[in-house]
Amino acid sequence: MRKINKNISILFFMIIVACGYSPLNQHQDKNFNIIKQTYEGDRKINNYISNSLKKYSLTKNANNNYKINISSDNTKDIVNKDSQGNPKNFNVKVSVNLIVISSNGNEIEKKFERTKSISSQNKKIDEKKLEQKSIKDLSILISKDIIFYLNNM
């Protein structure tokens, strides 16, 4: 049985390698440079986004230079309650308003939003940890969206 699984995994690996599969964002040219970053709003969200955008501040031979202003916010809304009125499910939403100023002075504004549903936990500390993890995950997804947006401008 192990030999069959080993052979199948080797065959699967060879098919994947031979078909020319490559991740979508792996071969993207980094044709932009962020020369100035300004942040307002939620500090944690801004830190996650800033860490993701750091490597685009040092891009050499970039075609486009941008100054960006980011304003971030998060909300936690109750989706439904149980019969006693206690919250059962929540929606955590991270919103980022991006203002891009290009080297020729054009200003473009774009809003990014991501939402995740989480269920209420018995212990509030576990619920708070789950909420913080969700905010981190959503912030990282938004930073990827921003990079994709800037790369395709």
Side-chain angles (χ1 to χ4, degrees):
M1 188 68 171
R2 286 181 172 225
K3 191 172 187 177
I4 293 172
N5 286 339
K6 184 177 177 182
N7 289 337
I8 290 174
S9 62
I10 290 173
L11 180 65
F12 180 73
F13 178 73
M14 290 175 59
I15 290 172
I16 292 292
V17 171
C19 76
Y21 170 79
S22 64
L24 182 62
N25 292 333
Q26 183 181 23
H27 296 295
Q28 274 187 343
D29 293 331
K30 294 166 183 67
N31 63 353
F32 68 93
N33 184 24
I34 300 173
I35 54 177
K36 184 179 178 187
Q37 300 177 23
T38 307
Y39 295 94
E40 296 175 2
D42 191 288
R43 186 175 49 91
K44 287 185 179 183
I45 295 172
N46 291 340
N47 286 340
Y48 296 134
I49 294 173
S50 174
N51 288 337
S52 295
L53 295 178
K54 226 180 254 184
K55 63 183 169 186
Y56 296 95
S57 296
L58 306 172
T59 305
K60 303 290 184 203
N61 302 324
N63 297 337
N64 302 312
N65 292 319
Y66 300 125
K67 294 178 186 175
I68 61 170
N69 299 323
I70 292 178
S71 177
S72 60
D73 188 26
N74 69 353
T75 57
K76 178 180 174 183
D77 299 322
I78 298 172
V79 176
N80 59 11
K81 298 180 180 183
D82 62 9
S83 60
Q84 297 172 344
N86 297 324
K88 244 171 89 170
N89 294 317
F90 299 96
N91 273 346
V92 176
K93 181 168 87 171
V94 175
S95 303
V96 172
N97 192 26
L98 173 72
I99 299 174
V100 180
I101 303 168
S102 63
S103 55
N104 60 7
N106 292 340
E107 187 174 305
I108 300 169
E109 187 171 341
K110 174 99 169 130
K111 186 167 188 166
F112 297 92
E113 289 184 349
R114 291 284 184 140
T115 306
K116 185 173 184 179
S117 297
I118 58 173
S119 60
S120 179
Q121 305 294 313
N122 291 335
K123 296 181 180 179
K124 293 301 174 189
I125 192 157
D126 292 339
E127 186 176 303
K128 190 68 174 172
K129 286 179 184 178
L130 185 59
E131 179 184 350
Q132 292 300 320
K133 184 181 180 326
S134 297
I135 289 172
K136 178 181 179 181
D137 294 343
L138 293 173
S139 300
I140 291 170
L141 287 173
I142 287 177
S143 68
K144 289 179 181 180
D145 291 344
I146 290 172
I147 291 167
F148 187 75
Y149 178 74
L150 290 174
N151 205 26
N152 292 320
M153 277 184 63

